Amino acid sequence: WLKSCWDQTNLGQHPQLGRLPHMARLAIVALACGLMAGHAAAAQQRSGHRSSNATLLSGTSANSAASSAACRVLRVAATAAKAAGRGKHVCPVSLPTKEGQKQQQPFFTELHKALVKGNGHLEGCLDGSSQEYYVKTFQDELQCLYAILLKDGCGKLPSQHNKRQEQWELKCLDGGEDLLAAYDLMTKDEQKYFHKFKKAAMERQIYTTYLELAGYKELACIFMK
């Protein structure tokens, strides 16, 4: 599908755009594909009002959904590549944050896996969704924020693990639940700390990029864990 989308934009034949770096062209193709998907959806809607052929509409809907999903993936790839192009992300805090705390790294790995893939009963980020790609693509950046939280001791706030573990799983590992569902699990003091933490994080462009794409849900869930 990507090759088809690239060919439809005729980007490689444009005398000016052809001189741009590959990743810049890829970003422009992503935008073009998004516009194409939008036009296709609008055309499908108009067609739906004129046609009573359910089978035809079902097939068109499936094709449109596939194209839309592919465009989302491409946009993620382009955005991640542009962010990486500014220089390799260097985290100011490394794991383990304390001597003898070797479990910190594997704990985050399993936590991140649960947020993406779920726990067997809940699926985590919706499979094939743009959210799934965002959270996977920015795993290193999320790990860095996790390390910063550990280094700061989460603001010395008391653990709520025993009180909310079940609700944490139901809200954080269900792709159908939004940020507010997770955010409401925080105490007032946690909410204050989290706002301060994410504001500081967004002083770096890489985190602003991630949060603008994915939102705050997974970061909030990491913080509460």
Side-chain angles (χ1 to χ4, degrees):
W1 184 88
L2 174 56
K3 183 179 185 301
S4 174
C5 186
W6 181 280
D7 290 343
Q8 289 180 59
T9 62
N10 293 318
L11 189 57
Q13 300 176 18
H14 196 286
Q16 297 299 324
L17 296 183
R19 300 192 184 100
L20 293 174
H22 177 69
M23 292 317 305
R25 287 182 286 153
L26 183 59
I28 295 172
V29 171
L31 175 60
C33 288
L35 293 173
M36 288 164 57
H39 287 310
Q44 176 193 332
Q45 186 176 21
R46 291 193 297 269
S47 176
H49 290 302
R50 295 193 300 264
S51 174
S52 61
N53 189 327
T55 302
L56 176 60
L57 288 177
S58 176
T60 303
S61 178
N63 290 336
S64 178
S67 296
S68 179
C71 277
R72 288 197 299 269
V73 175
L74 184 55
R75 284 198 294 271
V76 173
T79 303
K82 288 198 296 181
R86 295 189 177 95
K88 183 175 177 57
H89 173 257
V90 178
C91 185
V93 179
S94 59
L95 295 178
T97 58
K98 294 181 180 179
E99 187 175 352
Q101 299 293 313
K102 294 182 179 180
Q103 80 283 0
Q104 290 179 349
Q105 176 69 66
F107 178 86
F108 175 79
T109 300
E110 289 302 311
L111 172 58
H112 182 266
K113 180 179 178 182
L115 291 171
V116 174
K117 295 298 183 181
N119 60 0
H121 301 290
L122 298 166
E123 68 173 324
C125 297
L126 296 177
D127 289 343
S129 67
S130 56
Q131 189 72 11
E132 182 180 57
Y133 288 101
Y134 299 146
V135 178
K136 289 170 66 175
T137 299
F138 289 87
Q139 179 175 351
D140 289 345
E141 288 73 22
L142 285 170
Q143 178 177 298
C144 180
L145 293 174
Y146 162 76
I148 293 172
L149 283 169
L150 289 181
K151 186 73 173 179
D152 190 48
C154 291
K156 298 181 174 58
L157 295 167
S159 172
Q160 304 293 323
H161 176 79
N162 293 334
K163 296 179 181 179
R164 68 178 171 215
Q165 175 58 21
E166 181 179 355
Q167 286 301 310
W168 183 92
E169 291 187 8
L170 291 174
K171 305 305 181 185
C172 290
L173 304 185
D174 185 347
E177 295 286 359
D178 61 11
L179 164 64
L180 291 179
Y183 182 78
D184 285 344
L185 296 178
M186 295 184 192
T187 66
K188 294 299 182 183
D189 287 338
E190 286 177 329
Q191 291 174 357
K192 290 178 182 178
Y193 177 84
F194 182 71
H195 278 294
K196 180 180 178 182
F197 174 74
K198 70 180 179 64
K199 182 178 180 180
M202 292 183 72
E203 291 178 0
R204 295 190 64 179
Q205 181 59 47
I206 189 68
Y207 299 128
T208 297
T209 298
Y210 168 76
L211 293 171
E212 286 178 348
L213 286 169
Y216 304 104
K217 180 184 175 182
E218 282 71 27
L219 181 58
C221 292
I222 290 171
F223 163 61
M224 287 188 286
K225 198 63 173 174

